[in-house]
């Protein structure tokens, strides 16, 4: 049986991003037969524009994202909160993969959302907006896999989430729920 492939999309482009570290830690928790890969090309994708979304000449970086999402069994979005909502990086990724309308790569894709910010609110506004946009885009949002991390500036100031047992337990549970959703999806096809 082939591996279940989970693609992680991280909404912070910062080299030392805690959101990125959380995605790395989630990858580490993947059980046998599950592969969690961080997508690396989000910074190169132009803002969505219908004028450049032309069959046969879609910008290479956007097409690469569409192909990677189409190849994945499930998506793990890891989002910071910027001004009370999800980062533009992730919204742009959702927009590109939501088109062509009704048949975009994200359509029907089991997707979990993890949010993390420096405030005690744990980026829950960003989380809620990500869930809303994903749902409108046609993704299959896996609510049981949701996870929030607050006060990350303090909690992960001097340690990587992979060294935080509670974070690892939560991330492992999210990955497990997401994988179960992908397998349920496969069975029903
Ligand atoms: C433009 C901008 C807006 C921000 N707005 C919020 C916000 O509305 N709520 C919040 O909790 N944190 C906010 N923050 C702080 C982020 O929580 C913090 O930079 C980010 O989550 C750190 O994630 P990272 O380590 O993955 O980059 C903002 C940061 C930036 C750069």
């Amino acid at each position: 049986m082939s591996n279940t492939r989970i693609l992680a999309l991280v909404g912070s482009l910062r080299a030392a991003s805690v959101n990125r570290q959380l995605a790395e830690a989630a990858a580490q928790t993947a059980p046998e037969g599950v592969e969690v890969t961080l997508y690396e090309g989000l910074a190169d994708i132009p803002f969505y524009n219908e004028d450049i979304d032309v069959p046969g000449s879609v910008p290479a970086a956007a097409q690469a994202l569409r192909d990677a999402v189409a190849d994945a069994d499930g998506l793990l979005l890891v989002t910071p909160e910027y001004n009370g909502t999800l980062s533009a990086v992730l919204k742009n990724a959702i927009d590109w993969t939501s088109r062509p309308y009704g048949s975009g790569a994200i359509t029907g894709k089991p997707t979990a959302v993890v949010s993390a910010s420096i405030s005690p609110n744990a980026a829950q506004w960003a989380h809620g907006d990500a869930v809303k946009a994903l749902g409108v885009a046609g993704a299959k949002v896996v609510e049981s896999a949701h996870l929030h991390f607050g006060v990350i500036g303090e909690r992960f100031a001097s340690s990587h989430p992979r060294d935080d047992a509670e974070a690892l337990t939560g991330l492992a549970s999210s990955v497990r729920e997401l994988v179960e959703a992908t397998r349920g999806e496969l069975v029903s096809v």
Side-chain angles (χ1 to χ4, degrees):
M1 192 173 124
S2 62
N3 275 2
T4 299
R5 290 159 303 182
I6 303 297
L7 187 67
L9 305 180
V10 178
S12 170
L13 301 178
R14 210 163 73 77
S17 162
V18 172
N19 281 271
R20 183 182 175 85
Q21 291 173 4
L22 288 165
E24 291 168 351
Q28 185 183 312
T29 71
E32 199 177 332
V34 176
E35 192 184 334
V36 178
T37 307
L38 275 63
Y39 191 75
E40 298 293 355
L42 293 180
D44 303 324
I45 303 173
F47 283 122
Y48 185 83
N49 174 349
E50 288 186 276
D51 290 343
I52 59 173
D53 187 6
V54 176
S57 61
V58 170
Q63 188 60 51
L65 174 68
R66 285 178 168 173
D67 293 344
V69 169
D71 277 350
D73 297 302
L75 299 179
L76 179 67
L77 260 68
V78 189
T79 185
E81 186 165 278
Y82 285 174
N83 296 307
T85 188
L86 73 166
S87 69
V89 166
L90 280 184
K91 181 59 166 54
N92 196 39
I94 293 170
D95 290 343
W96 273 107
T97 54
S98 72
R99 289 295 190 269
Y101 180 73
S103 62
I106 207 166
T107 306
K109 195 70 64 177
T111 302
V113 181
V114 171
S115 66
S117 78
I118 56 174
S119 98
N121 191 45
Q124 292 195 58
W125 287 337
H127 192 281
D129 285 353
V131 166
K132 180 175 70 175
L134 287 163
V136 173
K140 183 178 165 61
V141 176
V142 184
E143 292 185 14
S144 58
H146 292 344
L147 193 59
H148 311 281
F149 291 91
V151 291
I152 58 172
E154 294 163 34
R155 183 169 175 183
F156 302 117
S158 56
S159 66
H160 192 288
R162 74 164 72 94
D163 301 319
D164 181 314
E166 193 184 332
L168 278 184
T169 301
L171 290 164
S173 171
S174 288
V175 169
R176 188 173 56 248
E177 295 282 346
L178 177 57
V179 167
E180 283 175 10
T182 68
R183 291 179 178 163
E185 186 78 3
L186 291 175
V187 166
S188 67
V189 166

